[in-house]
Amino acid sequence: MELIDGKAISLTLREELRIEVEEMVKGGHRPPHLAVILVGENPASQAYVGAKVKACEKAGFKSSSLHFEPTISQDDLLKAIQTLNDDDELDGFIIQLPLPDHIDENAVIETVDPTKDVDGFHPINVGRMAIGLDSFISATPGGIVEMMRRMNIETEGKHCVILGRSNIVGAPMAMLMRRKGHPGNCTVTVAHSRTKDIKSITTQADILIAAIGIPEYVKPDMVKEGAVVIDVGINRVEDASRERGYRLTGDVAFGEVSPKCSYITPVPGGVGPMTIAYLLNNTMIAARKRM
Ligand code: NAD
């Protein structure tokens, strides 16, 4: 079993981006600029936004964060997004999800200028990705694919089973694993909450990608010997032995499953750090297009 060290790979990618920024600035250009919008006080969202801003600083990117009260009206939020769309000094921005219930997430996503949509959630980017055109690829699936590319994981002709069909992870992941090229050229099955006899499907997987949000859902009897297992889940489970009262765990029972795998990602330290690095990568792409 080989551990896929997402933290180390993400640091390599971030260092490559830092050097690229240095060269841009030497060449007389401004550094890439990412803005992050946070609505409300969700502690997990605050932590993610903090990590994104910190990663920007370390890579020499400019970052801005805009924090709105949870009571902000949808109209006011859409106006704030329009202001960012019109800002020539800004390359890309993201709106940290989830949003409060009174705000229509789709209306928000569709208001973002697709050329600044570094989260890759806009239907234009999703559609372009689906038909293999140049687009922003959302950061979590993009980060996973980048991790597989750098680990030289063989994907051609493999059966990739994806657990979860969300617009953020499962659905784009399926599109990427079936597209032509490496990583890709897989035969893809997407399983979800309505799938029957899930174990009979997961045990066929050469590559199993778990993105469902249920702590340690994937047990060893669900995994084929020698499979590549990518654990996207980030779940907080109560743990009185920890000072903060919880620990983070993935969707895979790592301790029992890992001996069966050829490769596996840990949680934390796997997909999470790659997501942040890939967001910076997308922002660099956006900045280069604006140069
Ligand atoms: P989501 O709640 O939007 O979607 C969950 C998906 O899992 C749904 O498609 C649902 O059909 C499926 N599902 C639920 N129960 C199931 C079951 N019993 N069997 C099979 N499928 C089932 O979640 P999401 O946004 O896709 O996130 C999934 C997980 O990944 C969460 O733990 C989230 O925190 C994590 N996540 C991590 C990153 C990262 O950077 N590592 C990024 C995004 C999400």
Side-chain angles (χ1 to χ4, degrees):
M1 182 277 289
E2 193 172 339
L3 198 69
I4 305 179
D5 188 345
K7 190 166 180 199
I9 300 170
S10 73
L11 288 174
T12 305
L13 175 55
R14 282 164 55 175
E15 178 58 11
E16 289 166 7
L17 291 168
R18 191 191 64 75
I19 292 166
E20 214 175 318
V21 174
E22 243 174 40
E23 280 161 10
M24 270 171 103
V25 172
K26 267 191 215 148
H29 299 284
R30 60 167 180 76
H33 181 190
L34 173 74
V36 184
I37 295 183
L38 175 65
V39 181
E41 314 286 345
N42 179 324
S45 293
Q46 283 175 333
Y48 293 141
V49 166
K52 287 166 186 174
V53 168
K54 206 164 138 196
C56 275
E57 283 164 10
K58 284 194 173 162
F61 285 43
K62 184 176 172 192
S63 70
S64 309
S65 46
L66 285 84
H67 189 182
F68 296 109
E69 294 296 324
T71 50
I72 187 172
S73 70
Q74 179 165 314
D75 266 4
D76 285 347
L77 183 59
L78 297 188
K79 277 183 201 143
I81 291 172
Q82 201 51 57
T83 306
L84 299 185
N85 285 343
D86 296 339
D87 182 349
D88 285 337
E89 299 293 302
L90 183 68
D91 299 303
F93 63 98
I94 63 165
I95 300 104
Q96 187 67 45
L97 302 177
L99 291 167
D101 289 344
H102 67 281
I103 294 177
D104 174 3
E105 224 162 77
N106 286 330
V108 167
I109 289 169
E110 287 188 59
T111 303
V112 176
D113 176 347
T115 69
K116 291 188 173 183
D117 171 38
V118 287
D119 247 346
F121 293 162
H122 193 286
I124 287 188
N125 280 313
V126 178
R128 289 181 65 89
M129 176 177 67
I131 57 171
L133 295 177
D134 180 39
S135 68
F136 288 115
I137 295 173
S138 50
T140 301
I144 292 170
V145 163
E146 185 64 22
M147 198 159 65
M148 287 185 180
R149 193 174 68 76
R150 289 179 186 240
M151 290 295 289
N152 279 321
I153 290 175
E154 188 52 65
T155 59
E156 176 140 352
K158 304 286 183 192
H159 186 185
C160 176
V161 174
I162 297 165
L163 292 179
R165 58 177 165 183
S166 73
N167 288 343
I168 293 176
V169 191
M173 199 67 239
M175 289 182 208
L176 292 172
M177 296 310 285
R178 67 150 165 74
R179 72 181 176 172
K180 286 183 182 164
H182 178 260
N185 283 332
C186 284
T187 303
V188 177
T189 303
V190 178
H192 47 77
S193 53
R194 306 295 171 93
T195 300
K196 298 223 176 356
D197 191 12
I198 227 161
K199 200 201 289 186
S200 71
I201 296 168
T202 59
T203 47
Q204 293 175 41
D206 303 306
I207 301 171
L208 180 62
I209 302 179
I212 56 178
I214 303 178
E216 306 194 347
Y217 175 86
V218 176
K219 300 281 193 277
D221 63 348
M222 297 173 72
V223 178
K224 181 162 95 174
E225 199 68 47
V228 175
V229 174
I230 307 289
D231 190 353
V232 186
I234 302 180
N235 309 295
R236 287 183 179 205
V237 292
E238 275 184 34
D239 186 343
S241 71
R242 306 283 171 107
E243 201 177 313
R244 58 187 180 182
Y246 69 89
R247 66 188 156 82
L248 291 181
T249 182
D251 289 348
V252 177
F254 182 89
E256 303 148 69
V257 169
S258 56
K260 292 189 83 172
C261 302
S262 54
Y263 293 92
I264 187 167
T265 59
V267 177
V271 175
M274 282 308 294
T275 297
I276 295 182
Y278 207 78
L279 176 66
L280 299 193
N281 188 60
N282 279 348
T283 307
M284 173 60 87
I285 294 169
R288 287 224 173 271
K289 285 193 172 156
R290 234 159 252 281
M291 271 167 66

